Amino acid sequence: MRRKGGAPTTIDAPLCFTMNVEAWMIDVEDDEGRVYTFAIPKKCMNFSLLSVTEPELPPKTDAVCKLDVQRDCRANTWRIDASGSSAGVSVTMASAGGARRTVIAAGADPVFTGPDDDPFTAYTFTAVVPDSDTVNGCRADRTAEACPPLPSCTIRVDVTDDVLVDTPVQVTIDGSWDGPGALRVEAFDEDGNAVPGTELNGSGTVTFAKAGTYTFRGEAQNRIGQTATCDEAAVIVKRKGQWIGRAYGALIDVDRADVSESRFLADGTHEADKAIIGDGAGFGVSLEYLTSVGLGIEASAMFAQIAGDYFYDLDDAWGMDDDDLRFIPLTLGLNYHFNPDGPVDVFAGVFAGIALLDDASFQVLDNVVRSIELDDEFIWGLQLGLDVPFGDSPWGFHAAARYMDLETEFDADGIDATPLDLDLSPTIFSAGVAYRF
Protein backbone atom coordinates (compact mmCIF):
# COMPACT_ATOMS: atom_id res chain seq x y z
CA MET A 1 0.00 0.00 0.00
CA ARG A 2 0.96 3.63 -0.30
CA ARG A 3 0.34 5.99 2.49
CA LYS A 4 -0.77 9.44 1.12
CA GLY A 5 1.09 8.91 -2.10
CA GLY A 6 4.23 7.81 -0.39
CA ALA A 7 6.43 4.93 -1.12
CA PRO A 8 4.85 1.44 -1.25
CA THR A 9 4.65 -0.33 2.10
CA THR A 10 4.36 -4.10 2.50
CA ILE A 11 2.11 -5.27 5.30
CA ASP A 12 2.58 -8.88 6.37
CA ALA A 13 -0.21 -9.02 8.92
CA PRO A 14 -3.95 -8.45 9.06
CA LEU A 15 -4.77 -4.78 8.71
CA CYS A 16 -7.95 -3.21 9.94
CA PHE A 17 -9.16 0.27 9.00
CA THR A 18 -11.86 1.91 11.01
CA MET A 19 -13.83 4.58 9.24
CA ASN A 20 -17.25 5.47 8.11
CA VAL A 21 -17.55 5.25 4.38
CA GLU A 22 -20.32 4.70 1.93
CA ALA A 23 -20.05 1.37 0.16
CA TRP A 24 -21.98 -1.11 -1.88
CA MET A 25 -22.72 -4.55 -0.28
CA ILE A 26 -22.82 -7.61 -2.56
CA ASP A 27 -23.89 -11.19 -1.51
CA VAL A 28 -22.74 -14.11 -3.65
CA GLU A 29 -24.15 -17.70 -3.04
CA ASP A 30 -22.27 -20.77 -4.29
CA ASP A 31 -23.63 -24.14 -5.32
CA GLU A 32 -23.46 -25.49 -1.76
CA GLY A 33 -25.50 -22.63 -0.36
CA ARG A 34 -22.71 -20.65 1.21
CA VAL A 35 -23.17 -16.84 1.07
CA TYR A 36 -20.11 -14.65 0.52
CA THR A 37 -20.61 -10.97 1.48
CA PHE A 38 -18.38 -8.36 -0.25
CA ALA A 39 -18.07 -4.55 0.32
CA ILE A 40 -17.08 -1.98 -2.37
CA PRO A 41 -16.42 1.45 -0.91
CA LYS A 42 -17.69 4.17 -3.23
CA LYS A 43 -14.67 6.39 -2.58
CA CYS A 44 -11.90 3.92 -3.41
CA MET A 45 -13.78 1.09 -5.12
CA ASN A 46 -11.67 -1.53 -3.33
CA PHE A 47 -13.32 -5.06 -3.38
CA SER A 48 -13.37 -6.55 0.14
CA LEU A 49 -14.76 -9.88 1.54
CA LEU A 50 -16.60 -9.14 4.70
CA SER A 51 -17.99 -12.59 5.69
CA VAL A 52 -18.92 -16.12 4.68
CA THR A 53 -22.24 -17.47 5.91
CA GLU A 54 -22.63 -21.25 5.96
CA PRO A 55 -25.99 -22.62 4.81
CA GLU A 56 -28.43 -23.88 7.40
CA LEU A 57 -28.59 -27.70 7.03
CA PRO A 58 -31.76 -29.69 7.69
CA PRO A 59 -31.73 -31.88 10.88
CA LYS A 60 -30.16 -35.40 10.52
CA THR A 61 -32.39 -38.48 10.34
CA ASP A 62 -31.67 -41.82 12.04
CA ALA A 63 -30.65 -44.61 9.69
CA VAL A 64 -32.40 -48.01 9.87
CA CYS A 65 -30.43 -51.27 10.02
CA LYS A 66 -32.41 -54.47 9.58
CA LEU A 67 -30.73 -57.88 9.34
CA ASP A 68 -32.09 -61.41 9.10
CA VAL A 69 -29.71 -64.38 8.91
CA GLN A 70 -30.93 -67.86 7.96
CA ARG A 71 -28.58 -70.84 7.89
CA ASP A 72 -29.81 -74.05 6.26
CA CYS A 73 -27.68 -76.79 7.76
CA ARG A 74 -29.32 -79.47 5.66
CA ALA A 75 -28.63 -77.73 2.33
CA ASN A 76 -25.47 -75.94 3.58
CA THR A 77 -26.65 -72.55 2.32
CA TRP A 78 -26.98 -68.97 3.62
CA ARG A 79 -29.71 -66.38 3.19
CA ILE A 80 -28.68 -62.92 4.42
CA ASP A 81 -31.45 -60.33 4.20
CA ALA A 82 -30.83 -56.62 4.92
CA SER A 83 -34.04 -55.51 3.19
CA GLY A 84 -35.68 -52.53 4.86
CA SER A 85 -32.36 -50.98 5.86
CA SER A 86 -31.43 -47.43 4.91
CA ALA A 87 -29.55 -46.78 1.70
CA GLY A 88 -25.86 -47.57 1.75
CA VAL A 89 -26.18 -50.54 4.10
CA SER A 90 -23.39 -53.11 3.95
CA VAL A 91 -23.13 -56.51 5.67
CA THR A 92 -19.99 -58.29 6.79
CA MET A 93 -19.40 -61.67 8.45
CA ALA A 94 -16.64 -62.94 10.71
CA SER A 95 -15.93 -66.01 12.81
CA ALA A 96 -14.45 -65.83 16.28
CA GLY A 97 -10.89 -64.67 15.81
CA GLY A 98 -11.28 -64.81 12.03
CA ALA A 99 -11.02 -62.17 9.32
CA ARG A 100 -14.10 -60.14 8.46
CA ARG A 101 -15.35 -60.28 4.92
CA THR A 102 -18.07 -58.43 3.09
CA VAL A 103 -21.21 -60.31 2.17
CA ILE A 104 -23.34 -57.40 0.93
CA ALA A 105 -21.54 -54.29 -0.33
CA ALA A 106 -22.99 -50.80 0.06
CA GLY A 107 -25.37 -50.11 -2.79
CA ALA A 108 -25.64 -53.78 -3.75
CA ASP A 109 -28.68 -56.07 -3.58
CA PRO A 110 -29.57 -56.24 0.13
CA VAL A 111 -30.37 -59.97 -0.11
CA PHE A 112 -27.60 -62.57 -0.43
CA THR A 113 -28.01 -66.31 -0.94
CA GLY A 114 -25.08 -68.61 -1.38
CA PRO A 115 -23.24 -71.72 -0.23
CA ASP A 116 -22.16 -72.27 3.36
CA ASP A 117 -18.57 -73.37 2.94
CA ASP A 118 -17.89 -73.95 6.63
CA PRO A 119 -21.12 -75.16 8.24
CA PHE A 120 -19.48 -76.21 11.49
CA THR A 121 -18.23 -72.70 12.40
CA ALA A 122 -20.28 -69.99 14.13
CA TYR A 123 -20.35 -66.53 12.48
CA THR A 124 -21.36 -63.02 13.51
CA PHE A 125 -22.99 -60.85 10.83
CA THR A 126 -22.94 -57.04 11.07
CA ALA A 127 -25.09 -54.63 9.05
CA VAL A 128 -23.81 -51.02 8.99
CA VAL A 129 -25.11 -47.70 7.59
CA PRO A 130 -22.33 -45.10 8.09
CA ASP A 131 -22.81 -41.60 9.48
CA SER A 132 -23.27 -38.75 6.95
CA ASP A 133 -24.25 -35.08 6.98
CA THR A 134 -27.88 -36.03 6.82
CA VAL A 135 -28.03 -39.41 8.53
CA ASN A 136 -27.08 -40.77 11.90
CA GLY A 137 -25.53 -44.19 11.15
CA CYS A 138 -26.69 -47.51 12.61
CA ARG A 139 -25.47 -51.05 13.25
CA ALA A 140 -27.18 -54.45 13.67
CA ASP A 141 -25.49 -57.73 14.70
CA ARG A 142 -26.74 -61.28 14.33
CA THR A 143 -25.02 -64.51 15.35
CA ALA A 144 -25.45 -67.78 13.44
CA GLU A 145 -24.66 -70.85 15.49
CA ALA A 146 -22.53 -73.57 14.02
CA CYS A 147 -24.40 -76.44 12.40
CA PRO A 148 -24.41 -79.59 14.52
CA PRO A 149 -22.00 -82.32 13.47
CA LEU A 150 -23.41 -84.91 11.12
CA PRO A 151 -24.67 -87.84 13.18
CA SER A 152 -22.58 -90.99 13.30
CA CYS A 153 -22.73 -94.21 15.23
CA THR A 154 -20.39 -97.18 15.62
CA ILE A 155 -21.38 -100.17 17.75
CA ARG A 156 -18.75 -102.34 19.40
CA VAL A 157 -19.34 -105.49 21.43
CA ASP A 158 -16.55 -105.78 23.99
CA VAL A 159 -16.01 -109.50 24.50
CA THR A 160 -12.83 -111.48 25.01
CA ASP A 161 -14.31 -114.88 25.91
CA ASP A 162 -17.33 -116.85 24.87
CA VAL A 163 -20.59 -115.06 25.59
CA LEU A 164 -22.98 -117.29 27.47
CA VAL A 165 -26.71 -117.07 28.01
CA ASP A 166 -27.70 -114.70 30.87
CA THR A 167 -24.19 -113.23 30.97
CA PRO A 168 -23.97 -109.39 30.67
CA VAL A 169 -22.53 -108.20 27.37
CA GLN A 170 -20.83 -104.78 27.31
CA VAL A 171 -21.89 -102.76 24.26
CA THR A 172 -19.92 -99.57 23.51
CA ILE A 173 -21.42 -97.00 21.15
CA ASP A 174 -19.22 -94.24 19.73
CA GLY A 175 -20.19 -91.38 17.44
CA SER A 176 -22.13 -88.14 17.38
CA TRP A 177 -25.78 -87.52 18.19
CA ASP A 178 -27.78 -84.89 20.08
CA GLY A 179 -29.71 -85.40 23.26
CA PRO A 180 -31.96 -88.05 24.76
CA GLY A 181 -33.79 -90.15 22.23
CA ALA A 182 -31.38 -89.18 19.45
CA LEU A 183 -29.80 -92.64 19.53
CA ARG A 184 -31.60 -95.99 19.41
CA VAL A 185 -29.76 -99.29 19.29
CA GLU A 186 -31.16 -102.77 19.82
CA ALA A 187 -30.31 -106.37 19.06
CA PHE A 188 -31.97 -108.51 16.39
CA ASP A 189 -32.01 -112.29 16.16
CA GLU A 190 -31.16 -114.39 13.11
CA ASP A 191 -34.73 -114.02 11.80
CA GLY A 192 -34.53 -110.23 11.95
CA ASN A 193 -36.78 -109.90 14.99
CA ALA A 194 -35.98 -107.30 17.64
CA VAL A 195 -34.99 -108.86 20.96
CA PRO A 196 -37.00 -107.36 23.85
CA GLY A 197 -34.94 -105.79 26.60
CA THR A 198 -31.90 -104.98 24.44
CA GLU A 199 -32.73 -101.34 23.62
CA LEU A 200 -29.89 -98.88 24.30
CA ASN A 201 -29.67 -95.07 24.16
CA GLY A 202 -25.93 -95.16 24.74
CA SER A 203 -23.22 -97.55 25.87
CA GLY A 204 -24.45 -100.20 28.30
CA THR A 205 -24.88 -103.89 29.00
CA VAL A 206 -27.46 -106.38 27.78
CA THR A 207 -28.14 -110.04 28.42
CA PHE A 208 -29.64 -112.73 26.23
CA ALA A 209 -31.93 -115.45 27.49
CA LYS A 210 -31.37 -117.71 24.48
CA ALA A 211 -28.33 -118.84 22.59
CA GLY A 212 -27.88 -117.67 19.02
CA THR A 213 -26.27 -115.05 16.81
CA TYR A 214 -27.46 -111.50 17.47
CA THR A 215 -26.79 -108.33 15.52
CA PHE A 216 -26.88 -104.87 17.06
CA ARG A 217 -28.35 -102.23 14.74
CA GLY A 218 -29.32 -98.63 15.33
CA GLU A 219 -29.75 -95.06 14.15
CA ALA A 220 -28.33 -91.74 15.38
CA GLN A 221 -29.89 -88.30 14.91
CA ASN A 222 -28.68 -84.73 15.43
CA ARG A 223 -30.75 -81.77 16.62
CA ILE A 224 -31.88 -80.77 13.14
CA GLY A 225 -33.21 -84.22 12.32
CA GLN A 226 -30.38 -85.57 10.16
CA THR A 227 -29.97 -89.32 10.66
CA ALA A 228 -27.27 -91.90 10.16
CA THR A 229 -27.36 -95.70 10.36
CA CYS A 230 -24.99 -97.18 12.91
CA ASP A 231 -22.22 -99.55 11.91
CA GLU A 232 -23.46 -102.96 13.02
CA ALA A 233 -21.86 -105.41 15.43
CA ALA A 234 -22.66 -109.07 15.99
CA VAL A 235 -22.24 -111.37 18.95
CA ILE A 236 -22.58 -115.13 19.23
CA VAL A 237 -24.25 -116.21 22.44
CA LYS A 238 -23.66 -119.78 23.50
CA ARG A 239 -25.54 -121.94 25.89
CA LYS A 240 -24.21 -122.47 29.32
CA GLY A 241 -23.27 -126.03 30.06
CA GLN A 242 -26.60 -127.81 30.11
CA TRP A 243 -28.14 -131.22 30.29
CA ILE A 244 -30.04 -133.03 27.56
CA GLY A 245 -32.20 -135.97 28.50
CA ARG A 246 -33.50 -138.29 25.79
CA ALA A 247 -35.99 -141.15 25.72
CA TYR A 248 -36.53 -143.17 22.58
CA GLY A 249 -37.74 -146.33 20.98
CA ALA A 250 -35.26 -148.38 18.94
CA LEU A 251 -35.16 -150.88 16.12
CA ILE A 252 -32.14 -153.20 16.13
CA ASP A 253 -30.78 -154.51 12.86
CA VAL A 254 -28.45 -157.39 13.80
CA ASP A 255 -26.01 -159.06 11.46
CA ARG A 256 -27.94 -162.32 11.15
CA ALA A 257 -26.17 -165.11 12.98
CA ASP A 258 -26.93 -168.64 11.74
CA VAL A 259 -25.19 -171.55 13.45
CA SER A 260 -26.11 -175.19 12.52
CA GLU A 261 -24.80 -178.72 12.81
CA SER A 262 -25.96 -182.10 11.37
CA ARG A 263 -24.84 -185.60 12.51
CA PHE A 264 -25.79 -189.32 12.77
CA LEU A 265 -26.15 -190.85 16.13
CA ALA A 266 -24.73 -194.30 17.01
CA ASP A 267 -28.03 -195.98 16.22
CA GLY A 268 -28.04 -194.37 12.76
CA THR A 269 -30.61 -191.71 13.64
CA HIS A 270 -30.10 -188.41 11.85
CA GLU A 271 -30.08 -185.31 14.11
CA ALA A 272 -29.76 -181.65 13.09
CA ASP A 273 -29.61 -178.44 15.18
CA LYS A 274 -29.83 -174.87 13.92
CA ALA A 275 -29.79 -171.63 15.97
CA ILE A 276 -30.51 -168.19 14.51
CA ILE A 277 -29.99 -164.79 16.19
CA GLY A 278 -32.01 -162.01 14.49
CA ASP A 279 -33.29 -158.45 14.78
CA GLY A 280 -34.92 -156.89 17.80
CA ALA A 281 -36.45 -153.81 19.36
CA GLY A 282 -36.45 -151.92 22.63
CA PHE A 283 -36.29 -148.55 24.26
CA GLY A 284 -33.52 -146.44 25.70
CA VAL A 285 -32.66 -143.39 27.73
CA SER A 286 -29.61 -141.17 27.71
CA LEU A 287 -28.32 -138.16 29.60
CA GLU A 288 -25.82 -135.79 28.01
CA TYR A 289 -23.96 -132.82 29.45
CA LEU A 290 -23.43 -130.27 26.69
CA THR A 291 -20.60 -127.81 27.22
CA SER A 292 -20.54 -124.26 25.85
CA VAL A 293 -18.15 -125.26 23.06
CA GLY A 294 -20.43 -127.91 21.57
CA LEU A 295 -18.88 -131.01 23.13
CA GLY A 296 -21.14 -133.36 25.01
CA ILE A 297 -20.56 -136.31 27.31
CA GLU A 298 -23.38 -138.83 27.05
CA ALA A 299 -24.30 -141.83 29.15
CA SER A 300 -26.80 -144.19 27.59
CA ALA A 301 -28.72 -147.31 28.52
CA MET A 302 -30.94 -149.34 26.22
CA PHE A 303 -33.25 -152.15 27.21
CA ALA A 304 -33.98 -154.40 24.26
CA GLN A 305 -34.54 -157.92 23.12
CA ILE A 306 -33.23 -159.65 20.04
CA ALA A 307 -34.88 -162.59 18.40
CA GLY A 308 -33.65 -166.15 18.94
CA ASP A 309 -34.93 -169.10 16.90
CA TYR A 310 -33.99 -172.77 17.28
CA PHE A 311 -34.75 -175.56 14.78
CA TYR A 312 -34.34 -179.25 15.52
CA ASP A 313 -34.63 -182.36 13.30
CA LEU A 314 -34.61 -185.95 14.53
CA ASP A 315 -35.29 -188.23 11.57
CA ASP A 316 -38.90 -187.58 10.76
CA ALA A 317 -39.50 -185.60 13.93
CA TRP A 318 -39.14 -181.86 13.53
CA GLY A 319 -39.57 -178.99 15.98
CA MET A 320 -38.77 -175.34 16.54
CA ASP A 321 -39.12 -172.70 19.21
CA ASP A 322 -38.35 -169.01 19.57
CA ASP A 323 -37.36 -166.90 22.51
CA ASP A 324 -36.19 -163.32 22.94
CA LEU A 325 -32.70 -162.75 24.22
CA ARG A 326 -32.12 -159.82 26.55
CA PHE A 327 -29.83 -157.18 25.05
CA ILE A 328 -28.82 -154.24 27.32
CA PRO A 329 -25.99 -151.99 26.04
CA LEU A 330 -24.62 -149.52 28.60
CA THR A 331 -22.35 -146.91 27.02
CA LEU A 332 -20.48 -143.70 27.70
CA GLY A 333 -19.57 -141.47 24.77
CA LEU A 334 -18.39 -138.13 23.49
CA ASN A 335 -20.50 -136.13 21.01
CA TYR A 336 -19.70 -133.10 18.92
CA HIS A 337 -22.66 -130.80 18.16
CA PHE A 338 -22.31 -128.98 14.87
CA ASN A 339 -25.00 -126.38 15.61
CA PRO A 340 -26.12 -126.78 19.22
CA ASP A 341 -28.04 -123.50 19.23
CA GLY A 342 -29.64 -123.78 15.81
CA PRO A 343 -33.07 -124.96 14.76
CA VAL A 344 -31.61 -128.42 14.10
CA ASP A 345 -28.90 -129.69 16.42
CA VAL A 346 -26.92 -132.32 14.51
CA PHE A 347 -24.28 -134.24 16.43
CA ALA A 348 -21.88 -137.10 15.85
CA GLY A 349 -20.03 -139.14 18.42
CA VAL A 350 -18.14 -142.19 19.56
CA PHE A 351 -18.95 -144.40 22.50
CA ALA A 352 -17.81 -147.47 24.37
CA GLY A 353 -19.30 -149.69 27.03
CA ILE A 354 -20.63 -153.14 27.77
CA ALA A 355 -23.44 -155.20 26.26
CA LEU A 356 -25.32 -157.44 28.67
CA LEU A 357 -26.66 -160.50 26.82
CA ASP A 358 -29.06 -163.11 28.23
CA ASP A 359 -29.31 -166.85 27.74
CA ALA A 360 -32.31 -168.60 26.21
CA SER A 361 -33.84 -172.07 26.19
CA PHE A 362 -36.04 -173.64 23.53
CA GLN A 363 -38.59 -176.46 23.81
CA VAL A 364 -38.08 -177.87 20.34
CA LEU A 365 -39.81 -181.28 20.94
CA ASP A 366 -41.90 -182.55 23.79
CA ASN A 367 -38.91 -184.19 25.38
CA VAL A 368 -36.10 -182.14 23.82
CA VAL A 369 -34.92 -178.78 25.21
CA ARG A 370 -32.08 -176.83 23.69
CA SER A 371 -30.37 -173.75 25.16
CA ILE A 372 -27.93 -171.13 23.95
CA GLU A 373 -25.65 -168.85 25.92
CA LEU A 374 -24.24 -165.44 24.90
CA ASP A 375 -21.46 -163.84 26.91
CA ASP A 376 -21.50 -160.19 28.01
CA GLU A 377 -19.01 -158.25 25.91
CA PHE A 378 -17.16 -154.93 25.57
CA ILE A 379 -18.60 -152.79 22.79
CA TRP A 380 -17.69 -149.59 20.97
CA GLY A 381 -19.33 -147.71 18.15
CA LEU A 382 -20.27 -144.55 16.31
CA GLN A 383 -23.47 -142.56 16.27
CA LEU A 384 -25.08 -139.78 14.26
CA GLY A 385 -28.09 -137.98 15.71
CA LEU A 386 -30.16 -134.84 15.76
CA ASP A 387 -32.41 -132.90 18.08
CA VAL A 388 -35.09 -130.57 16.72
CA PRO A 389 -36.56 -128.20 19.36
CA PHE A 390 -40.29 -127.57 19.37
CA GLY A 391 -40.01 -123.80 18.90
CA ASP A 392 -38.88 -122.15 22.13
CA SER A 393 -39.87 -125.15 24.20
CA PRO A 394 -37.16 -127.17 26.00
CA TRP A 395 -38.75 -130.24 24.44
CA GLY A 396 -37.76 -131.47 21.02
CA PHE A 397 -37.73 -134.38 18.60
CA HIS A 398 -34.79 -136.79 18.74
CA ALA A 399 -33.54 -139.31 16.19
CA ALA A 400 -30.27 -141.19 15.88
CA ALA A 401 -28.49 -144.07 14.20
CA ARG A 402 -25.86 -146.11 16.03
CA TYR A 403 -23.39 -148.67 14.76
CA MET A 404 -22.14 -150.98 17.49
CA ASP A 405 -19.21 -153.35 17.14
CA LEU A 406 -20.29 -156.48 19.04
CA GLU A 407 -18.66 -159.90 18.90
CA THR A 408 -19.75 -162.38 21.57
CA GLU A 409 -19.03 -165.99 22.49
CA PHE A 410 -21.92 -168.22 21.44
CA ASP A 411 -22.52 -171.63 23.02
CA ALA A 412 -25.38 -174.04 22.20
CA ASP A 413 -25.73 -177.35 24.01
CA GLY A 414 -26.91 -179.09 20.88
CA ILE A 415 -24.09 -177.91 18.62
CA ASP A 416 -20.73 -179.56 19.21
CA ALA A 417 -18.85 -176.84 17.28
CA THR A 418 -19.61 -174.31 19.97
CA PRO A 419 -18.51 -172.26 21.79
CA LEU A 420 -17.53 -169.97 18.98
CA ASP A 421 -17.24 -166.21 18.39
CA LEU A 422 -20.37 -164.74 16.86
CA ASP A 423 -20.34 -161.29 15.19
CA LEU A 424 -23.65 -159.54 15.83
CA SER A 425 -22.59 -155.83 15.31
CA PRO A 426 -26.07 -154.30 15.25
CA THR A 427 -27.14 -151.01 13.69
CA ILE A 428 -29.66 -149.30 15.94
CA PHE A 429 -32.20 -146.77 14.68
CA SER A 430 -33.97 -144.73 17.33
CA ALA A 431 -36.55 -141.94 17.56
CA GLY A 432 -38.06 -140.19 20.53
CA VAL A 433 -38.01 -136.95 22.50
CA ALA A 434 -35.27 -134.77 23.96
CA TYR A 435 -35.49 -132.33 26.87
CA ARG A 436 -32.96 -129.60 27.65
CA PHE A 437 -32.49 -128.29 31.15
Side-chain angles (χ1 to χ4, degrees), residues 209-282:
K210 293 177 56 179
T213 299
Y214 298 93
T215 302
F216 286 92
R217 303 187 183 107
E219 185 177 81
Q221 179 175 299
N222 63 13
R223 59 181 170 80
I224 63 172
Q226 293 173 308
T227 60
T229 301
C230 300
D231 294 336
E232 298 179 357
V235 61
I236 298 174
V237 179
K238 297 183 177 180
R239 300 180 188 274
K240 292 181 178 179
Q242 62 179 177
W243 295 93
I244 306 175
R246 301 183 180 95
Y248 52 86
L251 296 177
I252 304 169
D253 182 12
V254 175
D255 284 349
R256 181 184 175 91
D258 185 337
V259 180
S260 61
E261 185 176 82
S262 178
R263 56 193 172 276
F264 287 95
L265 302 179
D267 60 2
T269 304
H270 178 262
E271 185 182 53
D273 289 79
K274 182 177 182 180
I276 300 175
I277 307 297
D279 299 337

Side-chain angles (χ1 to χ4, degrees), residues 267-341:
D267 60 2
T269 304
H270 178 262
E271 185 182 53
D273 289 79
K274 182 177 182 180
I276 300 175
I277 307 297
D279 299 337
F283 70 94
V285 293
S286 70
L287 183 64
E288 180 179 9
Y289 179 74
L290 178 60
T291 69
S292 62
V293 295
L295 290 177
I297 301 173
E298 182 183 29
S300 175
M302 188 170 66
F303 304 91
Q305 293 179 326
I306 54 178
D309 296 294
Y310 205 101
F311 299 88
Y312 178 72
D313 288 318
L314 182 63
D315 279 341
D316 295 333
W318 177 87
M320 67 164 291
D321 193 12
D322 61 79
D323 193 7
D324 292 326
L325 288 79
R326 184 187 65 185
F327 173 52
I328 303 177
L330 305 174
T331 62
L332 183 67
L334 183 66
N335 296 328
Y336 177 75
H337 293 252
F338 295 95
N339 188 19
D341 304 315

